[in-house]
DNA sequence: AATTATTGTCGTATGTTTGCGTCATTAAAC
DNA sequence: GTTTAATGACGCAAACATACGACAATAATT
């Protein structure tokens, strides 16, 4: 049923990255790791209102993409951001959206014309 | 069961954006719209190997975040990118990742040291 | 008026994600 | 050696995502 594989590799990679960062808890973990530089999983579950088990799973997903990694230090595991990997994915994101946001062409829908002229919305022909 | 609401608004917004772009089909639709400027949903389902129904649903999700919008033109609906909205979300993304990728500090894990020195991986202490 | 074309909605089946409690493993402390 | 602490793996239940066929609504064409 899953047709994800049939799309271009770049789209798949970006989609995978987006999926991993598509949960506020995982974003919060990345942010926390950016501040603390390194910490153990217990620090994260103390900081976030989530159980140890749940945090452990979120860490697993971040690890599976290579966004973070952990080094065993006795009983503890010190986690930290993998800057290289994050930079690569951010670049993938930028490469995808750069041509989209830098495109000065607008289509002819009422909303686009409104945005272009920065005036108020008056149309009732809008979908959603 | 869903604890997403308890996180900061910025994290929730970015997570919502990431979720919408976390499917290769939706990225492909954005890319296609960027190229065609405007098109109808049938053009997209002809272009992508997905049924009309599935494309219609993906369009609905893109619309629900405001990434695209459609204007009714008789029987047809012309879809186009909403540049303003996309730019806002891209900015949210950049604001989140800028402090992370520009951070020159590295933690003490073997991987980080390796990355810093750009040499080969030798450790067996790695997790995943 | 009947037909054709374009689209969204509904229902449904299957698969994935989220969140957590319980358990097993392993290292450290006593 | 026994206990304590930190963690991942397993299993489960509820919710959500994916994909599509069938149907309904509506505008255009004949």
């Amino acid at each position: 049923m899953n047709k994800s594989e049939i799309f271009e590799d770049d789209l798949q990679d970006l989609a995978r990255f987006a999926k991993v960062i598509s949960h506020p808890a995982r974003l919060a973990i990345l942010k926390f790791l950016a501040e603390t530089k390194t910490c153990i999983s217990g620090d994260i579950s103390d900081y976030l209102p989530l159980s140890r088990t749940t945090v452990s799973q979120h860490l697993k997903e971040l690890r599976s993409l290579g966004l973070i990694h952990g080094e065993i230090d006795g009983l503890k595991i010190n986690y930290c951001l993998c800057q290289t990997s994050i930079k690569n994915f951010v670049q993938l994101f930028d490469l995808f959206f750069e041509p989209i946001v830098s495109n000065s062409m607008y289509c002819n829908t009422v909303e686009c014309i409104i945005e272009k002229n920065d005036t108020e919305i008056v149309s009732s022909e809008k979908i959603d």
Side-chain angles (χ1 to χ4, degrees), chain A:
Chain A
M1 191 169 71
N2 190 1
K3 291 203 162 186
S4 289
E5 318 83 46
I6 58 183
F7 294 95
E8 295 164 55
D9 284 350
D10 275 8
L11 299 187
Q12 285 190 54
D13 290 344
L14 181 52
R16 246 189 300 272
F17 171 55
K19 191 164 234 164
V20 170
I21 63 163
S22 76
H23 196 290
R26 291 194 284 272
L27 290 174
I29 290 172
L30 290 179
K31 204 174 168 185
F32 186 67
L33 278 173
E35 286 160 12
T36 59
K37 309 303 175 203
T38 179
C39 68
I40 62 173
S41 110
D43 294 339
I44 300 170
S45 54
D46 288 345
Y47 171 68
L48 296 178
L50 295 171
S51 76
R52 285 184 305 101
T53 318
T54 305
V55 168
S56 183
Q57 263 185 154
H58 284 311
L59 287 172
K60 191 181 177 183
E61 293 199 62
L62 291 167
R63 237 164 43 206
S64 76
L65 238 208
L67 263 32
I68 64 169
H69 44 224
E71 191 194 33
I72 295 166
D73 172 25
L75 189 52
K76 300 174 180 181
I77 295 173
N78 293 307
Y79 284 101
C80 69
L81 297 177
C82 181
Q83 309 245 4
T84 311
S85 165
I86 292 173
K87 276 176 189 164
N88 284 340
F89 282 112
V90 168
Q91 193 183 10
L92 198 62
F93 177 93
D94 288 340
L95 282 172
F96 182 85
F97 281 102
E98 198 248 304
I100 289 177
V101 297
S102 72
N103 191 339
S104 62
M105 294 292 292
Y106 281 78
C107 68
N108 296 321
T109 68
V110 178
E111 290 83 359
C112 273
I113 291 161
I114 284 162
E115 279 158 15
K116 197 162 49 180
N117 297 331
D118 200 30
T119 54
E120 244 183 43
I121 289 163
V122 282
S123 167
S124 59
E125 286 281 67
K126 211 171 89 176
I127 297 296
D128 274 353

